[in-house]
Amino acid sequence: MACEKIFIRELHQRGLRLTPQREMVLSALHEAKGFETAEEIYERVRRLSASVDISTIYRTLDLLHHMGFVASVDAGDGQARFALTALQEPHVHLVCQGCGRIVGVPIHEVEPLLQALRARYGFEADLDDVTLYGLCENCRGSSPSAR
Amino acid sequence: MACEKIFIRELHQRGLRLTPQREMVLSALHEAKGFETAEEIYERVRRLSASVDISTIYRTLDLLHHMGFVASVDAGDGQARFALTALQEPHVHLVCQGCGRIVGVPIHEVEPLLQALRARYGFEADLDDVTLYGLCENCRGSSPSAR
DNA sequence: CTTTTTGTTGCAACTGGTTGCAAGATACCA
DNA sequence: TGGTATCTTGCAACCAGTTGCAACAAAAAG
């Protein structure tokens, strides 16, 4: 897990600490392979240690998110979903409202939008964490199927 | 209030009813002139009638939003904000994280983004209700001031 | 005007998520 | 190795917003 070494280094750089809870959340995210809710990640962590509190899960996911290790997507169903992105380029996320699939779009592909907003509104938008809703190729034709 | 006549017509078309509560929310939104939280709109309605429940405010704002009368923006502080848009073209909203100002961008100005997503990902995005975060012209230079 | 249908409301309970705080644990230094 | 500063945790209370449901009320029909 090269990821963990980098995590420890980043923590130390910010004067933060490595705790068993933080290790377990990182490990749960490795297991997950894809977007999961905080509750699902909580369940994975509980299999490792029963005494961890859900608020610690949220705090740790938040930390990992701010450090750029984790992407957070609001799929529009009132529950955020999280996934490891480790050190990839930031993505804009597309959520299909037909099938629930989440697709990442490298941020450089929407650079023209950034330029347009800068030019016309003087607005410097931060697209690191944007989620767009719509219909994917599959669901566009057929009638939308349940998630 | 031309807005109210159209509202009544739209309600009837959908088999829905005009109630005092719905009229009061619409009237509160007219008073507001700008984005306000559900709680602020609730306070305005309470000045008209003390017995209205906050859940009715939320349900009505939701209805007005789905009917296209109201824009809903998550300013990133954990509280949604609502404003009358009556029958304007839908907007993408820019929220300045420096000063909290909310600016609307007519949706046709981001049409190129829609086309790019359609072409490369086959994804038909719905930008009617997108909010982007960043810094406005004023706040870009100076150190960000509190909201 | 009364009845009937069905959409709407207030209420209370609940949801996902956040926060204040005292107790506990980590990392550093002697 | 022991002491200490301070970061982190679990807990419980809280927050904005949603939901199920029985009572209510708008609109249409008689």
Side-chain angles (χ1 to χ4, degrees):
Chain A
M1 248 181 244
C3 181
E4 178 138 11
K5 288 214 169 141
I6 301 165
F7 179 47
I8 294 170
R9 177 158 48 74
E10 288 274 314
L11 283 175
H12 281 204
Q13 271 176 24
R14 303 174 191 223
L16 304 178
R17 293 175 187 170
L18 181 66
T19 64
Q21 289 89 335
R22 286 177 179 168
E23 285 185 285
M24 287 188 286
V25 171
L26 199 56
S27 148
L29 285 163
H30 268 104
E31 275 176 51
K33 296 282 173 205
F35 283 88
E36 293 201 344
T37 65
E39 214 71 34
E40 285 163 346
I41 292 158
Y42 179 44
E43 279 312 309
R44 287 186 191 277
V45 171
R46 268 159 63 112
R47 264 170 248 147
L48 305 173
S49 164
S51 65
V52 179
D53 193 77
I54 184 81
S55 69
T56 300
I57 305 292
Y58 280 112
R59 283 190 276 229
T60 306
L61 287 171
D62 203 52
L63 175 68
L64 288 165
H65 181 218
H66 278 95
M67 288 170 65
F69 283 77
V70 158
S72 154
V73 171
D74 175 1
D77 64 347
Q79 270 179 98
R81 273 149 225 277
F82 305 86
L84 260 193
T85 57
L87 305 157
Q88 293 170 45
E89 185 191 16
H91 284 63
V92 168
H93 290 96
L94 308 179
V95 174
C96 175
Q97 293 175 313
C99 62
R101 219 158 64 93
I102 301 171
V103 179
V105 175
I107 224 160
H108 70 260
E109 295 197 19
V110 291
E111 181 60 32
L113 173 67
L114 284 181
Q115 282 169 12
L117 294 177
R118 213 181 287 129
R120 286 204 219 191
Y121 295 88
F123 191 87
E124 186 66 45
D126 169 21
L127 296 187
D128 287 15
D129 236 321
V130 171
T131 303
L132 302 177
Y133 304 90
L135 289 176
C136 72
E137 196 144 34
N138 284 339
C139 296
R140 266 214 283 170
S142 56
S143 63
S145 62
R147 184 170 207 279
Chain B
M1 250 182 241
C3 181
E4 178 137 12
K5 287 215 169 140
I6 301 165
F7 180 47
I8 294 170
R9 176 157 50 72
E10 288 275 313
L11 283 175
H12 281 204
Q13 270 176 25
R14 304 174 191 223
L16 304 178
R17 292 175 186 170
L18 181 66
T19 65
Q21 290 88 336
R22 285 175 180 169
E23 285 184 286
M24 287 188 285
V25 171
L26 200 56
S27 146
L29 285 163
H30 269 104
E31 274 176 51
K33 296 282 171 203
F35 283 88
E36 293 201 345
T37 64
E39 214 72 32
E40 285 163 347
I41 293 158
Y42 178 45
E43 279 312 310
R44 287 186 190 278
V45 171
R46 268 159 62 112
R47 263 171 247 146
L48 305 173
S49 165
S51 65
V52 179
D53 193 76
I54 184 80
S55 69
T56 300
I57 306 291
Y58 279 112
R59 282 189 276 227
T60 305
L61 287 171
D62 203 53
L63 174 68
L64 288 165
H65 181 218
H66 278 96
M67 288 169 65
F69 284 77
V70 158
S72 154
V73 169
D74 175 0
D77 65 347
Q79 270 180 98
R81 273 149 224 277
F82 305 87
L84 260 193
T85 56
L87 304 156
Q88 292 171 46
E89 184 190 14
H91 284 64
V92 168
H93 290 97
L94 309 179
V95 174
C96 175
Q97 292 174 313
C99 62
R101 219 158 64 92
I102 301 172
V103 178
V105 175
I107 224 160
H108 70 258
E109 294 197 20
V110 291
E111 181 59 33
L113 173 66
L114 284 180
Q115 281 171 11
L117 294 176
R118 213 180 288 128
R120 286 204 217 190
Y121 295 89
F123 191 86
E124 186 67 45
D126 169 22
L127 296 187
D128 287 13
D129 237 321
V130 171
T131 303
L132 302 177
Y133 305 90
L135 289 176
C136 72
E137 195 144 35
N138 284 339
C139 296
R140 265 213 283 170
S142 56
S143 63
S145 62
R147 186 170 204 276

